[in-house]
């Protein structure tokens, strides 16, 4: 009974308390008592632990979970546990401030950061991760980098010498374990208490206590879970339950009895000691090696094995041939069909399938089974290489691409060396002839389809490579190899192919030629020779010019092709090539004769993109030739849409998902033109704006007071309005600002300022130096600026002059008198300028027939009032709904028609006067007003 509930006297309570105390009456009784303690009783006994042990045990459990998640690359779990670890560490702040940051915590932070950096650099591994893991990896990497800033010195010390830091930790563990064991056996020199004995392993002898302590410090930690199991050893243990509560006398007696008992099993303990000695390892293994092994997913002693992702289907590789099998064509064909049966099935290792086909080809070559079976195997190898990426949007890896090119080359070598091999898609598998005999080989397959697919794969590789990297340049070097294969196939098809197949391969050759500028042909046309003898020899040894090749291939397609698509593509490529080489008239005539602009909207998107590219190149060519109006008309549709980048297949504009979903975006990305075929969009816009400036500024000056003046270019007017809205006008920076500043100067008739804004170092580097004949283009521009500035000057200031000398105009605009005479004569003939030429005095005499500005405004007001009255009358008649009113309105309508006819006549006059208006525009405008 407890003394707290006793009702007796003090003496009774003292007696009961003395009875409750454990006082060993006889040595044997104590020994029996200590031996009879069961495991259950020991487990149920309450263990008192310090706050430090509790907190550090919580940390080590979380660290163990994080390390397990690292082994299986579960980033989401890592992130969740790391956040919990940070919270738990924050709770332990008071203990950490006293004891210092625990080494196992620093070790985890360093290892986790290294692990995340390694995963981040592994691009292939990141692609294979699911969405949650990839997101968790990015988040955790940012958090750990931010978190580790507070522990930079400790982490740096650990990383400098991980072995030394581990040894220090080990020594600390050994000291603490020694102090705890000393507290347990403080009663005798070589004796231990029964309670301590029962807690330890029964094999441990008292003489080997030091050995066991060291083994505990080293052997236990050598395992991969040392950080998790030895938490109490890391930070020492409280010897609350060490048996020091008993009296000194009781301890001495029980210890002596335990020693007597232990001496009887000393022989068995020696063998266990030897085993422990064998297991003992030299200090610690390099922790970095263990981490590398864990990250790789392979354990030295564990049974882990790295497996590939995908369906867990076990498929045995088909064995080649049993020993002693006679290898002949039917056997090889049978084995080939076995390999091909797995093609396209879920879980098939495509790389292994390609290796098997290569091995089969080598066996067929070693046994001299003939070229027929070799061609069939090569066809299947190339098809398997194309199937390696089942996703249509994915592109071939570099090693697979090289293998593909080599296989196609080998296949063409076989076909060229053996004229008795016939291939075609129309040959059935049953009618194939693969055995060497007098009959020619017949193999099912189409080499043209394989080469077309190769060309498409090359385009996909270029589309998916960063155009500003060296990798793009390296990939572009393969185009020579691709063109070489196409040329070889072209030669083969000219001998053995059908007309349709020849047209298809001709188009492939054209598509690799049409966008390239032939510099050598250009030099020859200018009469320039190569700088060195080697260049001259190279020019002589090279074949025909690209223009001759294009002409020959395109004309064959025009004559022989039966499909509209191939002929349309050939015509557009031919026009593009003509325009690129400044053959304006041939390109224009071919475009007008083809009538492609009438039905191009019904073509498929790639052909429409090619058409847009051709029209743009045609406009740039017209600009180079000085055909400003033609250039503006050709570029108008593309530039006025504001989607030039998208229409030319050079990139996608940002749109809402309602207009274009993800699938449509993928399809549009596959239509994009590779970067080396792009047309410079800044050059295109500059050519368009300069053309619009040369047309619009004189027109605006001629029709300054015309209410019905139309805009030639909306985009140009938009740029002018943007320039006018600028609160502070500084020197122009961008190309658009240069054109706007030049337009303002031209409006004042100042051609020199206009010239300085259009042609300067900045504009040369951005635009004009990109043309092949740069100097000629600049001279043409200067000439056009002078002429249009002269016209603008005459339109603007004609009301100021009574007469003006042509010599003066010639000096002002630095033009020949003949040119000035020609320009003024055209303006007078077109009734743009009310003047006459006085030939003897070489002067222009102005006629005062133009209305003043006040008269112009009064006319505009009268017209607007008239239209307002007519609209009101129409609304009133509609509300009345009377037949008589309808009849009157019809009569009024007839009168209005006569009136509009008169205005059309006036519009025709204005058309002749302006030179830029269409007759139907005013009629339409007039009808819209009414």
């Amino acid at each position: 009974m407890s003394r707290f509930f006793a009702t007796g006297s003090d003496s009774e309570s003292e007696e009961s308390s003395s009875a409750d105390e454990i006082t060993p009456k006889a040595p044997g009784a104590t020994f029996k008592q200590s031996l009879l303690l069961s495991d259950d009783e020991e487990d149920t006994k309450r263990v008192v632990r310090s706050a430090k042990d509790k907190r550090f045990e919580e940390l080590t459990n979380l660290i163990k979970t994080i390390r397990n998640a690292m082994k299986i690359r579960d980033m989401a779990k890592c992130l969740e546990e790391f956040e919990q670890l940070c919270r738990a560490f924050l709770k332990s702040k008071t203990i950490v401030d006293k004891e210092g940051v625990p080494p196992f915590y620093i070790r985890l932070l360093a290892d986790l950061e290294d692990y995340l950096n390694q995963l981040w650099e592994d691009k292939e591994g990141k692609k294979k991760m699911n969405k949650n893991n990839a997101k968790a990896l990015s988040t955790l990497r940012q958090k750990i980098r931010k978190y580790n800033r507070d522990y930079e010195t400790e982490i740096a010390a650990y990383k400098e010498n991980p072995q030394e830091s581990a040894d220090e930790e080990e020594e600390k563990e050994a000291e603490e374990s020694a102090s705890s064991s000393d507290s347990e056996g403080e009663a005798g020199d070589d004796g231990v208490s029964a309670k301590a004995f029962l807690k330890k392993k029964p094999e441990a002898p008292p003489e080997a206590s030091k050995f066991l302590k060291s083994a505990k410090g080293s052997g236990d930690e050598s395992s991969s879970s040392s950080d998790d199991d030895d938490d109490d050893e890391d930070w020492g243990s409280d010897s609350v339950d060490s048996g020091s509560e008993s009296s000194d006398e009781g301890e001495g007696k029980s210890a002596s009895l335990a020693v007597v008992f232990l001496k009887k099993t000393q022989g068995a303990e020696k063998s266990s000691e030897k085993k422990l000695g064998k297991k003992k390892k030299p200090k610690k293994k390099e922790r970095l090696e263990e981490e590398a092994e864990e990250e790789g997913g392979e354990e030295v002693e564990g049974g882990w094995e790295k497996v590939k992702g995908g369906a867990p289907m076990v498929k045995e590789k088909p064995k080649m041939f049993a020993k002693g099998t006679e290898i002949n064509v039917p056997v090889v064909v049978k084995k080939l069909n076995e390999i091909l049966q797995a093609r396209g099935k879920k879980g098939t290792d495509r790389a292994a399938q390609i290796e098997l086909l290569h091995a089969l080809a080598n066996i067929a070559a070693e046994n001299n089974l003939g070229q027929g079976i070799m061609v069939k195997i090569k066809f299947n190898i190339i098809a398997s290489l194309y199937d390696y990426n089942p996703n249509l949007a994915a592109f071939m890896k570099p090693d697979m691409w090289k293998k593909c090119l080599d296989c196609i080359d080998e296949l063409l070598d076989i076909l060229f060396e053996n004229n008795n091999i016939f291939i075609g898609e129309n040959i059935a598998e049953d009618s194939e002839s693969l055995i060497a005999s007098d009959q020619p080989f017949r193999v099912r397959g189409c080499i043209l389809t394989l080469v077309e697919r190769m060309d498409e794969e090359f385009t996909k590789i270029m589309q998916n490579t960063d155009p500003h990297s060296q990798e793009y340049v390296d990939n572009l070097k393969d185009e020579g190899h691709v063109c070489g294969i196409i040329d070889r196939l072209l030669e083969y098809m000219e001998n053995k192919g059908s007309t349709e197949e020849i047209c298809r391969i001709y188009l492939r050759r054209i598509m690799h030629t049409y966008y390239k500028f032939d510099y050598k042909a250009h030099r020859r046309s200018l009469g320039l020779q190569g700088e060195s003898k080697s260049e001259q020899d190279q020019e002589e040894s090279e074949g025909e010019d690209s223009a001759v090749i294009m002409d020959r291939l395109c004309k064959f397609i025009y004559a022989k092709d039966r499909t509209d698509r191939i002929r349309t593509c050939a015509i557009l490529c031919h026009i593009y090539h003509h325009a690129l080489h400044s053959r304006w008239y041939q390109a224009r005539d071919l475009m007008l004769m083809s009538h492609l602009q009438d039905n191009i909207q019904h073509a498929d998107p790639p052909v429409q993109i090619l058409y847009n590219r051709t029209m743009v190149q045609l406009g740039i060519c017209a600009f180079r030739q000085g055909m400003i109006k033609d250039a503006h008309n050709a570029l108008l549709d593309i530039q006025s849409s504001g989607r030039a980048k998208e229409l030319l297949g050079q990139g996608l504009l940002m749109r809402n998902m309602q207009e274009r979903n993800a699938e449509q975006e993928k399809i549009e990305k596959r239509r994009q033109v590779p970067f080396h075929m792009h047309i410079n969009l800044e050059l295109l816009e500059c050519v368009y704006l300069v053309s619009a400036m040369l047309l619009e500024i004189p027109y605006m000056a001629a029709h300054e007071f015309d209410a019905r003046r139309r805009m030639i270019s909306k985009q140009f007017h938009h740029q002018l309005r943007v320039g006018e809205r600028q609160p502070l006008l500084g020197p122009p920076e961008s190309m658009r600002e240069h054109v706007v500043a030049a337009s303002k100067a031209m409006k004042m008739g100042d051609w020199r300022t206009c010239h300085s804004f259009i042609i300067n170092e900045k504009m040369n580097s951005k635009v004009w130096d990109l043309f092949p004949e740069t100097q000629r283009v600049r001279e043409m521009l200067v000439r056009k600026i002078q002429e249009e500035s002269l016209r603008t000057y005459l339109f603007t200031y004609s009301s100021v002059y009574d007469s003006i000398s042509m010599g003066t105009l010639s000096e002002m605009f630095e033009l020949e008198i003949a040119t000035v005479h020609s320009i003024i004569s055209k303006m007078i003939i077109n009734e743009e300028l009310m003047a006459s030429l006085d030939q003897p005095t070489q002067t222009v005499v102005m006629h005062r027939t133009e209305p003043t500005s006040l008269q112009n405004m009064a006319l505009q007001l009268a017209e607007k009032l008239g239209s307002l009255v007519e609209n009101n009358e129409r609304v009133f008649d509609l509300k009345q709904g009377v037949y008589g009113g309808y009849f009157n309105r019809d009569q009024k309508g007839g009168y209005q028609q006569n009136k509009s006819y008169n205005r059309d006549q006036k519009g025709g006059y204005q058309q002749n006067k302006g030179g830029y208006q269409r007759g139907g525009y005013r009629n339409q405008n007039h009808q819209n007003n009414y």
Side-chain angles (χ1 to χ4, degrees):
M1 183 177 179
S2 174
R3 59 180 174 175
F4 297 110
F5 299 102
T7 57
S9 61
D10 294 338
S11 61
E12 287 175 355
S13 64
E14 283 173 9
E15 286 172 5
S16 64
S17 65
S18 62
D20 286 337
E21 287 177 3
I22 298 169
T23 51
K25 294 177 182 177
T30 309
F31 178 65
K32 283 177 188 175
Q33 228 177 14
S34 63
L35 282 179
L36 288 172
L37 286 170
S38 66
D39 292 339
D40 294 333
E41 288 171 341
E42 202 172 356
D43 291 338
T44 55
K45 186 165 183 176
R46 184 178 175 188
V47 179
V48 180
R49 291 187 301 164
S50 64
K52 182 181 82 170
D53 290 345
K54 288 179 183 176
R55 291 297 181 198
F56 286 172
E57 185 180 359
E58 184 183 0
L59 293 179
T60 48
N61 286 337
L62 289 169
I63 288 171
K64 183 177 180 181
T65 312
I66 289 172
R67 288 196 180 275
N68 287 338
M70 285 164 65
K71 287 178 186 176
I72 60 172
R73 297 197 176 196
D74 188 353
M75 292 295 103
K77 184 70 173 173
C78 272
L79 177 61
E80 182 186 345
E81 294 297 324
F82 179 74
E83 288 172 349
Q84 288 187 18
L85 182 68
C86 293
R87 288 194 290 271
F89 190 75
L90 200 61
K91 289 179 187 175
S92 313
K93 195 169 187 314
T94 53
I95 296 166
V96 170
D97 291 342
K98 287 182 188 176
E99 304 287 339
V101 183
F104 63 82
Y105 192 72
I106 295 297
R107 189 165 70 222
L108 176 85
L109 293 180
D111 293 349
L112 184 58
E113 186 175 14
D114 293 342
Y115 175 74
L116 292 174
N117 288 337
Q118 187 177 351
L119 277 186
W120 190 261
E121 290 167 5
D122 182 14
K123 293 183 181 177
E124 293 297 324
K126 273 202 299 183
K127 286 180 184 174
K128 292 177 184 176
M129 280 186 182
N130 60 31
K131 190 176 180 182
N132 291 337
N133 269 354
K135 189 176 180 181
L137 172 63
S138 176
T139 309
L140 183 56
R141 182 167 172 266
Q142 291 175 353
K143 284 194 174 187
I144 194 76
R145 288 170 68 181
K146 187 176 178 181
Y147 191 79
N148 282 5
R149 287 174 194 160
D150 299 334
Y151 306 101
E152 283 180 351
T153 53
E154 292 92 339
I155 291 171
Y158 168 72
K159 284 187 176 178
E160 280 174 12
N161 199 343
Q163 182 65 38
E164 189 177 333
S165 63
D167 292 343
E168 288 174 6
E169 192 179 334
E170 198 178 288
E171 287 171 13
K172 188 173 180 182
E173 289 167 6
E175 287 171 8
E176 290 174 352
S177 60
S179 65
S180 64
S181 63
D182 288 346
S183 67
E184 286 174 2
E186 62 187 358
D189 294 332
D190 31 46
V192 292
S193 68
K195 194 184 287 185
F197 162 71
L198 286 172
K199 285 183 183 177
K200 292 189 178 182
K201 293 180 182 178
E203 298 95 53
E207 292 87 351
S209 59
K210 290 182 182 178
F211 171 76
L212 286 173
K213 287 168 194 169
S214 62
K216 192 176 184 180
S218 61
D220 293 351
E221 282 182 15
S222 64
S223 67
S224 62
S225 60
S226 61
D227 301 329
D228 314 317
D229 299 337
D230 297 338
D231 307 327
D232 293 336
E233 291 172 18
D234 285 340
W235 294 96
S237 60
D238 295 338
S239 55
V240 177
D241 55 346
S242 62
S244 59
E245 294 170 359
S246 59
S247 64
D248 295 342
E249 186 183 352
E251 271 188 8
K253 286 179 182 178
S254 61
S256 63
L257 286 171
V259 169
V260 171
F261 176 78
L262 285 170
K263 280 179 182 176
K264 292 177 184 177
T265 59
Q266 196 168 2
E269 288 160 1
K270 282 183 182 177
S271 62
S272 67
E273 184 179 303
K274 284 179 185 175
K275 287 179 185 175
L276 284 169
K278 285 178 186 175
K279 286 181 184 176
K280 184 177 177 183
K281 295 184 181 177
K283 288 293 177 186
K284 275 194 175 185
K285 282 187 179 180
E286 288 285 343
R287 204 168 265 107
L288 294 173
E289 291 177 8
E290 288 183 9
E291 294 297 333
E293 287 173 5
E294 287 170 5
E295 285 168 14
E298 295 177 3
E299 295 275 346
V300 178
E301 295 176 358
W304 295 101
E305 183 183 353
K306 188 174 181 180
V307 295
K308 292 186 177 179
M313 294 181 69
V314 180
K315 282 191 177 288
E316 292 184 2
K317 292 181 182 178
K319 296 174 183 177
M320 273 301 167
F321 299 105
K323 196 172 181 182
T325 306
E326 183 185 355
I327 296 173
N328 52 28
V329 171
V331 172
V332 172
V333 171
K334 184 180 177 184
K335 183 57 65 178
L336 176 64
N337 291 330
E338 280 181 25
I339 296 169
L340 295 178
Q341 279 174 2
R343 180 180 174 186
K345 289 185 179 178
K346 191 175 181 182
T348 304
D349 189 348
R350 298 182 185 88
Q353 198 176 30
I354 293 167
E355 288 173 11
L356 287 173
L357 289 171
H358 276 293
L360 193 63
N362 293 334
I363 291 170
E366 287 169 6
N367 291 275
N368 296 323
L369 298 181
Q371 297 300 333
I373 189 69
M374 285 299 295
V375 169
K376 186 171 178 63
I377 294 172
K378 290 288 180 189
F379 269 124
N380 286 294
I381 289 173
I382 297 166
S384 298
L385 287 168
Y386 290 144
D387 288 348
Y388 188 75
N389 286 327
N391 188 0
L392 192 64
F395 61 98
M396 291 179 82
K397 299 292 181 288
D399 54 341
M400 290 294 172
W401 171 245
K402 298 293 181 191
K403 281 183 187 176
C404 179
L405 292 179
D406 294 340
C407 280
I408 293 175
D409 268 331
E410 290 169 11
L411 182 57
L412 285 171
D413 289 339
I414 295 171
L415 293 176
F416 273 108
E417 289 169 6
N418 301 275
N419 291 325
N420 60 340
I421 299 177
F422 291 95
I423 56 173
E425 288 178 317
N426 54 354
I427 298 173
E429 289 190 3
D430 299 337
S431 61
E432 283 184 326
S433 175
L434 304 174
I435 302 171
S437 63
D438 297 337
Q439 297 294 325
F441 293 108
R442 290 168 60 81
V443 184
R444 178 180 173 80
C446 181
I447 182 69
L448 177 59
T449 307
L450 295 180
V451 172
E452 285 178 334
R453 177 72 188 273
M454 174 204 70
D455 196 27
E456 290 166 7
E457 288 292 340
F458 176 71
T459 305
K460 277 201 283 187
I461 288 171
M462 301 313 295
Q463 285 171 344
N464 288 279
T465 309
D466 179 14
H468 305 293
S469 64
Q470 183 61 34
E471 186 186 359
Y472 191 90
V473 179
D474 295 338
N475 289 339
L476 192 55
K477 290 176 184 174
D478 288 336
E479 192 182 16
H481 197 171
V482 171
C483 290
I485 289 173
I486 291 173
D487 283 334
R488 292 183 69 193
L489 182 61
L490 188 146
E491 184 184 345
Y492 178 80
M493 285 295 173
E494 283 175 347
N495 296 326
K496 293 195 172 184
S498 64
T499 307
E500 184 185 348
E501 290 175 332
I502 293 171
C503 288
R504 282 165 64 189
I505 194 62
Y506 274 10
L507 182 62
R508 290 286 165 182
R509 186 70 182 87
I510 288 166
M511 296 298 283
H512 280 278
T513 308
Y514 81 97
Y515 63 90
K516 296 173 184 171
F517 188 81
D518 194 346
Y519 282 98
K520 287 171 184 170
H522 178 62
R523 286 169 61 83
R524 283 197 289 271
S525 67
L526 297 175
L528 300 174
Q529 293 295 326
E531 294 179 2
S532 62
K533 194 169 186 298
S534 61
E535 288 183 7
Q536 293 177 11
D537 295 339
Q538 187 181 356
E539 286 177 5
E540 289 173 6
S541 64
E542 283 185 357
E544 52 194 353
D545 293 344
S546 61
V548 179
I549 295 171
M550 287 290 295
D551 197 55
R552 177 171 59 84
L553 300 181
C554 290
K555 283 183 177 176
F556 181 88
I557 291 175
Y558 301 158
K560 304 287 185 182
D561 180 58
R562 296 176 185 174
T563 63
D564 288 338
R565 190 182 186 280
I566 292 179
R567 186 167 59 250
T568 301
C569 289
I571 291 171
L572 290 171
C573 291
H574 205 181
I575 295 167
Y576 190 106
H577 195 263
H578 278 315
L580 187 64
H581 292 82
S582 300
R583 296 189 287 271
W584 157 249
Y585 291 105
Q586 293 95 312
R588 184 199 62 182
D589 294 345
L590 191 55
M591 175 61 82
L592 293 174
M593 286 190 297
S594 65
H595 294 285
L596 287 176
Q597 59 273 23
D598 297 338
N599 53 10
I600 193 65
Q601 67 271 14
H602 302 302
D604 54 339
V607 178
Q608 289 184 14
I609 288 172
L610 181 58
Y611 173 80
N612 292 337
R613 285 166 54 80
T614 303
M615 287 302 298
V616 162
Q617 198 60 246
L618 203 59
I620 295 172
C621 174
F623 182 81
R624 288 199 302 267
Q625 300 302 311
M627 314 283 184
I628 302 300
K629 194 171 181 182
D630 291 319
H632 180 268
N633 291 337
L635 300 177
L636 180 62
D637 290 337
I638 300 293
Q639 285 299 122
S640 61
S641 66
R643 299 187 300 128
K645 187 177 183 181
E646 193 169 355
L647 293 174
L648 296 174
Q650 295 181 187
L652 298 179
L653 298 175
M654 295 299 291
R655 287 194 197 170
N656 296 330
M657 291 303 289
Q658 296 172 355
E659 297 180 29
R660 179 176 61 205
N661 57 31
E663 192 60 34
Q664 288 174 334
E665 191 168 343
K666 284 181 185 177
I667 294 169
E668 288 185 19
K669 279 183 180 177
R670 288 202 293 270
R671 294 178 187 145
Q672 299 303 297
V673 177
F675 183 76
H676 63 281
M677 297 169 66
H678 281 194
I679 296 169
N680 191 316
L681 293 176
E682 190 173 20
L683 179 143
L684 174 62
E685 188 177 9
C686 180
V687 166
Y688 175 75
L689 289 177
V690 171
S691 302
M693 176 190 78
L694 294 173
L695 296 176
E696 191 81 65
I697 297 298
Y699 178 75
M700 288 167 66
H703 300 83
E704 190 173 0
F705 303 107
D706 189 356
R708 294 175 294 179
R709 184 184 70 204
R710 67 185 182 89
M711 290 186 291
I712 296 173
S713 169
K714 287 184 180 179
Q715 192 181 8
F716 177 72
H717 277 273
H718 173 69
Q719 295 301 331
L720 287 180
R721 284 194 296 272
V722 168
E724 288 168 2
R725 284 200 298 264
Q726 293 294 331
L728 180 64
L729 282 177
E733 292 291 332
S734 66
M735 175 272 299
R736 293 173 182 173
E737 289 175 0
H738 276 89
V739 175
V740 170
S743 303
K744 290 178 180 176
M746 182 184 277
K747 208 170 182 180
M748 305 301 293
D750 186 358
W751 77 272
R752 287 185 179 84
T753 307
C754 178
H755 168 248
S756 67
F757 280 128
I758 292 294
I759 299 173
N760 51 52
E761 287 185 7
K762 192 177 284 188
M763 290 290 284
N764 285 345
S765 61
K766 282 185 177 181
V767 181
W768 309 124
D769 288 345
L770 302 177
F771 286 122
E773 298 174 342
T774 307
Q775 193 56 39
R776 194 167 67 82
V777 172
R778 288 201 197 99
E779 290 170 1
M780 179 274 298
L781 266 175
V782 173
R783 183 85 172 178
K784 289 291 178 184
I785 288 170
Q786 289 170 335
E787 291 176 1
E788 297 303 326
S789 297
L790 170 60
R791 297 181 68 233
T792 307
Y793 185 84
L794 290 173
F795 284 136
T796 307
Y797 300 109
S798 60
S799 58
V800 178
Y801 288 98
D802 286 329
S803 64
I804 185 169
S805 170
M806 283 195 290
T808 307
L809 291 173
S810 174
E811 289 174 10
M812 283 175 64
F813 294 95
E814 296 183 9
L815 291 169
E816 300 86 359
I817 291 181
T819 308
V820 174
H821 185 278
S822 170
I823 292 169
I824 294 173
S825 300
K826 283 180 185 174
M827 292 172 72
I828 293 171
I829 291 168
N830 292 330
E831 298 183 358
E832 295 173 348
L833 184 66
M834 295 296 105
S836 58
L837 282 172
D838 188 12
Q839 198 66 32
T841 58
Q842 292 287 310
T843 56
V844 183
V845 180
M846 302 298 173
H847 299 169
R848 296 290 176 188
T849 56
E850 290 91 354
T852 63
S853 59
L854 183 61
Q855 289 171 333
N856 271 317
M857 291 172 72
L859 287 171
Q860 289 173 24
L861 180 62
E863 284 185 0
K864 287 180 180 178
L865 287 172
S867 64
L868 184 63
V869 169
E870 289 164 8
N871 285 330
N872 284 336
E873 286 179 358
R874 287 183 180 181
V875 171
F876 181 74
D877 287 347
L878 285 171
K879 284 183 178 180
Q880 292 292 325
V882 183
Y883 286 104
Y886 181 80
F887 180 76
N888 292 335
R889 186 171 66 249
D890 195 9
Q891 286 182 336
K892 190 182 289 185
Y895 172 72
Q896 290 296 332
Q897 283 177 1
N898 293 334
K899 189 174 180 182
S900 71
Y901 176 75
N902 294 334
R903 290 189 179 176
D904 274 343
Q905 292 294 328
K906 189 179 179 183
Y909 170 74
Q910 291 294 334
Q911 173 190 1
N912 293 333
K913 183 177 179 183
Y916 299 108
Q917 294 179 345
R918 298 173 184 169
Y921 180 83
R922 291 188 185 279
N923 188 15
Q924 183 183 358
N925 193 16
H926 181 70
Q927 288 173 359
N928 288 338
N929 288 335
Y930 291 93

